[in-house]
Amino acid sequence: MSSSPQRFEVLPRDLSAYRRGNVGVDHVHRFDSGRPGPHVLVNALTHGNEFCGMVAATDLLDRGVRPAIGTLTVSFANVAAYETFDPERPFESRMLVHNLNRIWSEAWLDGPEDSPELRRAREMREVVAAADHILDIHSTSQPVQPFWVYPAFERNGAATLAIGSPQVHLVMPQGLGSGTPLIQHGAHGTAGHHGVAVVVECGQHFQQATADLAKAVTHDFLAHFGLLPRAEPQPPRPPARRFQLLQTWVVKSPDFRFARPVIGFETFAAGELIATDGDEPIVAPCDDCTILMPARTPVVGREGVYLSRPMA
Ligand SMILES: [Zn+2]
């Protein structure tokens, strides 16, 4: 029924050589320049089947990249899920039990439940909190253009606009609406904090171009904060396109379906039907309503689609 399986240009590699870190947490590596400067965290594999971040992180480690100033931490988050990858079911290894990108609230982290993801988040909690700036690297199930995702704090917009690429931004004034992502853990989720914390969605899972973009964005992010030299001057780019998240629709019914085939970035006129969730119509709340990350396979209790509108 769907177009998958896709071609796998990038496959998992054995990460056991990266397991032993140097901060007392598996798969976390930290390099202190010994000079003043920000502490930047580059995090991969928050979702286990999003290999582009793994490529960028192993690239930093394999090349022995060290920060000129401040501190660089490189982490692989959900290696347990990553290690379950099965090319026959390539989307299953996104997570084992919990979505590791929705459980970074105190309620979850200090709560009574247990799962591989909760254990990992609890292990990584201090690593995330210790960073000034965080780049959390992801990819998408559909072949759409790369984009940033971040809470609508001035600091996040300023940094990502200055970095320039990707040119598309999904800005979240009210957060995600379906849980607390890693980039909103603790102080990073508050207006008064200084730290930039953003997701970059680098393109479609398993594609070489996605991994290449992850490496480039990682370099640009570290260069922006002075940890690495800036790349060659870039040719002029078209202006940024920013979308404001209006609503995260969480699937309620096993009978969820889109009104037409979608992959993301389709636009709908005010009142136009986007999808039906059981008996409930999901209609565009405004003109130029732009949808992002439509679920490939809708699952009750998980995100079905994100509704946004272009920002002036
Ligand atoms: Zn992801």
Side-chain angles (χ1 to χ4, degrees), residues 45-50 94 99 101-102 136-141 199-201 205 293:
L45 295 178
T46 297
H47 292 136
N49 68 340
E50 300 181 4
R94 171 181 176 82
N99 182 343
N101 209 26
R102 299 291 182 273
D136 190 23
I137 305 173
H138 291 248
S139 54
T140 52
S141 58
V199 159
V200 60
E201 299 281 358
H205 303 334
M293 293 180 277

PDB file of all heavy atoms in Angstrom, residues 45-50 94 99 101-102 136-141 199-201 205 293, ligand 1:
ATOM      1  N   LEU A  45      20.210  10.335  17.068  1.00  0.00           N
ATOM      2  CA  LEU A  45      19.441   9.125  17.373  1.00  0.00           C
ATOM      3  C   LEU A  45      18.459   9.282  18.523  1.00  0.00           C
ATOM      4  O   LEU A  45      18.195   8.317  19.248  1.00  0.00           O
ATOM      5  CB  LEU A  45      20.370   7.930  17.646  1.00  0.00           C
ATOM      6  CG  LEU A  45      21.232   7.453  16.468  1.00  0.00           C
ATOM      7  CD1 LEU A  45      22.137   6.295  16.920  1.00  0.00           C
ATOM      8  CD2 LEU A  45      20.367   7.016  15.279  1.00  0.00           C
ATOM      9  N   THR A  46      17.901  10.470  18.689  1.00  0.00           N
ATOM     10  CA  THR A  46      16.747  10.573  19.591  1.00  0.00           C
ATOM     11  C   THR A  46      15.664   9.612  19.095  1.00  0.00           C
ATOM     12  O   THR A  46      14.949   9.004  19.892  1.00  0.00           O
ATOM     13  CB  THR A  46      16.230  12.015  19.623  1.00  0.00           C
ATOM     14  OG1 THR A  46      17.261  12.838  20.162  1.00  0.00           O
ATOM     15  CG2 THR A  46      14.979  12.150  20.466  1.00  0.00           C
ATOM     16  N   HIS A  47      15.568   9.502  17.789  1.00  0.00           N
ATOM     17  CA  HIS A  47      14.749   8.458  17.159  1.00  0.00           C
ATOM     18  C   HIS A  47      15.701   7.449  16.513  1.00  0.00           C
ATOM     19  O   HIS A  47      16.583   7.823  15.732  1.00  0.00           O
ATOM     20  CB  HIS A  47      13.794   9.059  16.135  1.00  0.00           C
ATOM     21  CG  HIS A  47      12.742   9.909  16.797  1.00  0.00           C
ATOM     22  ND1 HIS A  47      12.364  11.130  16.338  1.00  0.00           N
ATOM     23  CD2 HIS A  47      11.996   9.672  17.913  1.00  0.00           C
ATOM     24  CE1 HIS A  47      11.429  11.635  17.146  1.00  0.00           C
ATOM     25  NE2 HIS A  47      11.193  10.768  18.103  1.00  0.00           N
ATOM     26  N   GLY A  48      15.505   6.178  16.849  1.00  0.00           N
ATOM     27  CA  GLY A  48      16.505   5.161  16.535  1.00  0.00           C
ATOM     28  C   GLY A  48      16.729   4.901  15.065  1.00  0.00           C
ATOM     29  O   GLY A  48      17.767   4.352  14.686  1.00  0.00           O
ATOM     30  N   ASN A  49      15.773   5.245  14.214  1.00  0.00           N
ATOM     31  CA  ASN A  49      15.940   4.965  12.779  1.00  0.00           C
ATOM     32  C   ASN A  49      16.292   6.221  11.981  1.00  0.00           C
ATOM     33  O   ASN A  49      16.194   6.213  10.757  1.00  0.00           O
ATOM     34  CB  ASN A  49      14.680   4.309  12.207  1.00  0.00           C
ATOM     35  CG  ASN A  49      13.490   5.250  12.186  1.00  0.00           C
ATOM     36  OD1 ASN A  49      13.470   6.257  12.903  1.00  0.00           O
ATOM     37  ND2 ASN A  49      12.504   4.940  11.366  1.00  0.00           N
ATOM     38  N   GLU A  50      16.715   7.271  12.658  1.00  0.00           N
ATOM     39  CA  GLU A  50      17.064   8.516  11.967  1.00  0.00           C
ATOM     40  C   GLU A  50      18.584   8.609  11.916  1.00  0.00           C
ATOM     41  O   GLU A  50      19.226   9.234  12.753  1.00  0.00           O
ATOM     42  CB  GLU A  50      16.360   9.686  12.660  1.00  0.00           C
ATOM     43  CG  GLU A  50      14.844   9.463  12.608  1.00  0.00           C
ATOM     44  CD  GLU A  50      13.994  10.565  13.235  1.00  0.00           C
ATOM     45  OE1 GLU A  50      14.547  11.585  13.681  1.00  0.00           O
ATOM     46  OE2 GLU A  50      12.757  10.379  13.268  1.00  0.00           O
ATOM     47  N   ARG A  94      12.262   3.330  15.321  1.00  0.00           N
ATOM     48  CA  ARG A  94      12.184   4.729  15.787  1.00  0.00           C
ATOM     49  C   ARG A  94      12.242   4.797  17.311  1.00  0.00           C
ATOM     50  O   ARG A  94      12.846   5.685  17.895  1.00  0.00           O
ATOM     51  CB  ARG A  94      10.870   5.314  15.270  1.00  0.00           C
ATOM     52  CG  ARG A  94      10.484   6.679  15.803  1.00  0.00           C
ATOM     53  CD  ARG A  94       9.132   7.072  15.201  1.00  0.00           C
ATOM     54  NE  ARG A  94       8.604   8.314  15.701  1.00  0.00           N
ATOM     55  CZ  ARG A  94       8.962   9.519  15.268  1.00  0.00           C
ATOM     56  NH1 ARG A  94       9.873   9.641  14.316  1.00  0.00           N
ATOM     57  NH2 ARG A  94       8.434  10.599  15.755  1.00  0.00           N
ATOM     58  N   ASN A  99       8.279   7.423  22.938  1.00  0.00           N
ATOM     59  CA  ASN A  99       8.960   8.346  22.040  1.00  0.00           C
ATOM     60  C   ASN A  99       9.961   9.149  22.882  1.00  0.00           C
ATOM     61  O   ASN A  99       9.558   9.943  23.733  1.00  0.00           O
ATOM     62  CB  ASN A  99       7.927   9.268  21.383  1.00  0.00           C
ATOM     63  CG  ASN A  99       8.558  10.229  20.398  1.00  0.00           C
ATOM     64  OD1 ASN A  99       9.763  10.459  20.399  1.00  0.00           O
ATOM     65  ND2 ASN A  99       7.713  10.819  19.550  1.00  0.00           N
ATOM     66  N   ASN A 101      11.514  11.573  22.328  1.00  0.00           N
ATOM     67  CA  ASN A 101      11.437  13.030  22.152  1.00  0.00           C
ATOM     68  C   ASN A 101      10.146  13.643  22.711  1.00  0.00           C
ATOM     69  O   ASN A 101       9.758  14.745  22.321  1.00  0.00           O
ATOM     70  CB  ASN A 101      11.593  13.403  20.680  1.00  0.00           C
ATOM     71  CG  ASN A 101      12.204  14.779  20.520  1.00  0.00           C
ATOM     72  OD1 ASN A 101      12.929  15.249  21.408  1.00  0.00           O
ATOM     73  ND2 ASN A 101      11.897  15.431  19.409  1.00  0.00           N
ATOM     74  N   ARG A 102       9.507  12.944  23.648  1.00  0.00           N
ATOM     75  CA  ARG A 102       8.277  13.493  24.245  1.00  0.00           C
ATOM     76  C   ARG A 102       8.259  13.370  25.770  1.00  0.00           C
ATOM     77  O   ARG A 102       7.255  13.682  26.397  1.00  0.00           O
ATOM     78  CB  ARG A 102       7.041  12.747  23.696  1.00  0.00           C
ATOM     79  CG  ARG A 102       6.839  12.832  22.206  1.00  0.00           C
ATOM     80  CD  ARG A 102       6.449  14.222  21.741  1.00  0.00           C
ATOM     81  NE  ARG A 102       6.228  14.250  20.298  1.00  0.00           N
ATOM     82  CZ  ARG A 102       7.184  14.456  19.394  1.00  0.00           C
ATOM     83  NH1 ARG A 102       8.441  14.683  19.774  1.00  0.00           N
ATOM     84  NH2 ARG A 102       6.905  14.461  18.105  1.00  0.00           N
ATOM     85  N   ASP A 136      19.716  18.910  18.059  1.00  0.00           N
ATOM     86  CA  ASP A 136      19.140  17.560  18.103  1.00  0.00           C
ATOM     87  C   ASP A 136      18.789  17.178  16.664  1.00  0.00           C
ATOM     88  O   ASP A 136      17.933  17.813  16.049  1.00  0.00           O
ATOM     89  CB  ASP A 136      17.905  17.573  19.003  1.00  0.00           C
ATOM     90  CG  ASP A 136      17.384  16.178  19.290  1.00  0.00           C
ATOM     91  OD1 ASP A 136      18.167  15.211  19.179  1.00  0.00           O
ATOM     92  OD2 ASP A 136      16.188  16.053  19.618  1.00  0.00           O
ATOM     93  N   ILE A 137      19.443  16.135  16.148  1.00  0.00           N
ATOM     94  CA  ILE A 137      19.413  15.858  14.708  1.00  0.00           C
ATOM     95  C   ILE A 137      18.413  14.756  14.382  1.00  0.00           C
ATOM     96  O   ILE A 137      18.502  13.649  14.927  1.00  0.00           O
ATOM     97  CB  ILE A 137      20.815  15.458  14.211  1.00  0.00           C
ATOM     98  CG1 ILE A 137      21.842  16.536  14.593  1.00  0.00           C
ATOM     99  CG2 ILE A 137      20.797  15.239  12.707  1.00  0.00           C
ATOM    100  CD1 ILE A 137      23.278  16.133  14.296  1.00  0.00           C
ATOM    101  N   HIS A 138      17.507  15.078  13.474  1.00  0.00           N
ATOM    102  CA  HIS A 138      16.428  14.160  13.085  1.00  0.00           C
ATOM    103  C   HIS A 138      16.305  14.064  11.572  1.00  0.00           C
ATOM    104  O   HIS A 138      16.912  14.838  10.827  1.00  0.00           O
ATOM    105  CB  HIS A 138      15.092  14.674  13.632  1.00  0.00           C
ATOM    106  CG  HIS A 138      14.968  14.598  15.119  1.00  0.00           C
ATOM    107  ND1 HIS A 138      14.096  13.741  15.754  1.00  0.00           N
ATOM    108  CD2 HIS A 138      15.606  15.277  16.099  1.00  0.00           C
ATOM    109  CE1 HIS A 138      14.205  13.900  17.066  1.00  0.00           C
ATOM    110  NE2 HIS A 138      15.097  14.835  17.303  1.00  0.00           N
ATOM    111  N   SER A 139      15.426  13.125  11.138  1.00  0.00           N
ATOM    112  CA  SER A 139      15.037  13.045   9.733  1.00  0.00           C
ATOM    113  C   SER A 139      13.556  12.707   9.674  1.00  0.00           C
ATOM    114  O   SER A 139      12.926  12.424  10.696  1.00  0.00           O
ATOM    115  CB  SER A 139      15.878  12.004   8.990  1.00  0.00           C
ATOM    116  OG  SER A 139      15.833  10.738   9.632  1.00  0.00           O
ATOM    117  N   THR A 140      13.004  12.779   8.482  1.00  0.00           N
ATOM    118  CA  THR A 140      11.558  12.619   8.293  1.00  0.00           C
ATOM    119  C   THR A 140      11.244  11.353   7.508  1.00  0.00           C
ATOM    120  O   THR A 140      12.056  10.888   6.702  1.00  0.00           O
ATOM    121  CB  THR A 140      10.968  13.829   7.546  1.00  0.00           C
ATOM    122  OG1 THR A 140      11.728  14.060   6.355  1.00  0.00           O
ATOM    123  CG2 THR A 140      10.979  15.074   8.409  1.00  0.00           C
ATOM    124  N   SER A 141      10.052  10.827   7.725  1.00  0.00           N
ATOM    125  CA  SER A 141       9.671   9.611   7.006  1.00  0.00           C
ATOM    126  C   SER A 141       9.361   9.905   5.538  1.00  0.00           C
ATOM    127  O   SER A 141       9.490   9.034   4.690  1.00  0.00           O
ATOM    128  CB  SER A 141       8.481   8.936   7.682  1.00  0.00           C
ATOM    129  OG  SER A 141       7.385   9.811   7.745  1.00  0.00           O
ATOM    130  N   VAL A 199      15.804  21.450  16.992  1.00  0.00           N
ATOM    131  CA  VAL A 199      15.820  20.238  16.173  1.00  0.00           C
ATOM    132  C   VAL A 199      16.111  20.645  14.742  1.00  0.00           C
ATOM    133  O   VAL A 199      15.624  21.681  14.279  1.00  0.00           O
ATOM    134  CB  VAL A 199      14.447  19.526  16.247  1.00  0.00           C
ATOM    135  CG1 VAL A 199      14.234  18.587  15.048  1.00  0.00           C
ATOM    136  CG2 VAL A 199      14.311  18.760  17.555  1.00  0.00           C
ATOM    137  N   VAL A 200      16.910  19.832  14.068  1.00  0.00           N
ATOM    138  CA  VAL A 200      16.970  19.979  12.614  1.00  0.00           C
ATOM    139  C   VAL A 200      16.484  18.677  11.998  1.00  0.00           C
ATOM    140  O   VAL A 200      16.951  17.591  12.333  1.00  0.00           O
ATOM    141  CB  VAL A 200      18.385  20.362  12.119  1.00  0.00           C
ATOM    142  CG1 VAL A 200      19.443  19.333  12.473  1.00  0.00           C
ATOM    143  CG2 VAL A 200      18.348  20.648  10.618  1.00  0.00           C
ATOM    144  N   GLU A 201      15.479  18.816  11.133  1.00  0.00           N
ATOM    145  CA  GLU A 201      14.961  17.691  10.339  1.00  0.00           C
ATOM    146  C   GLU A 201      15.683  17.757   8.999  1.00  0.00           C
ATOM    147  O   GLU A 201      15.500  18.688   8.218  1.00  0.00           O
ATOM    148  CB  GLU A 201      13.448  17.821  10.125  1.00  0.00           C
ATOM    149  CG  GLU A 201      12.625  17.808  11.407  1.00  0.00           C
ATOM    150  CD  GLU A 201      12.403  16.408  11.980  1.00  0.00           C
ATOM    151  OE1 GLU A 201      12.863  15.428  11.364  1.00  0.00           O
ATOM    152  OE2 GLU A 201      11.768  16.308  13.047  1.00  0.00           O
ATOM    153  N   HIS A 205      14.528   9.843   5.962  1.00  0.00           N
ATOM    154  CA  HIS A 205      15.317   8.766   6.576  1.00  0.00           C
ATOM    155  C   HIS A 205      16.106   7.999   5.499  1.00  0.00           C
ATOM    156  O   HIS A 205      15.615   7.798   4.390  1.00  0.00           O
ATOM    157  CB  HIS A 205      14.414   7.705   7.218  1.00  0.00           C
ATOM    158  CG  HIS A 205      13.449   8.188   8.255  1.00  0.00           C
ATOM    159  ND1 HIS A 205      13.621   9.309   9.018  1.00  0.00           N
ATOM    160  CD2 HIS A 205      12.274   7.628   8.660  1.00  0.00           C
ATOM    161  CE1 HIS A 205      12.597   9.423   9.860  1.00  0.00           C
ATOM    162  NE2 HIS A 205      11.757   8.432   9.659  1.00  0.00           N
ATOM    163  N   MET A 293       4.670  16.960   8.685  1.00  0.00           N
ATOM    164  CA  MET A 293       4.875  15.642   9.270  1.00  0.00           C
ATOM    165  C   MET A 293       3.579  14.837   9.401  1.00  0.00           C
ATOM    166  O   MET A 293       3.240  14.337  10.483  1.00  0.00           O
ATOM    167  CB  MET A 293       5.595  15.776  10.624  1.00  0.00           C
ATOM    168  CG  MET A 293       7.013  16.290  10.447  1.00  0.00           C
ATOM    169  SD  MET A 293       7.952  16.487  11.987  1.00  0.00           S
ATOM    170  CE  MET A 293       7.395  18.095  12.554  1.00  0.00           C
TER     171      MET A 293
HETATM  172 ZN    ZN B   1      12.870  12.315  14.786  1.00  0.00          ZN
END
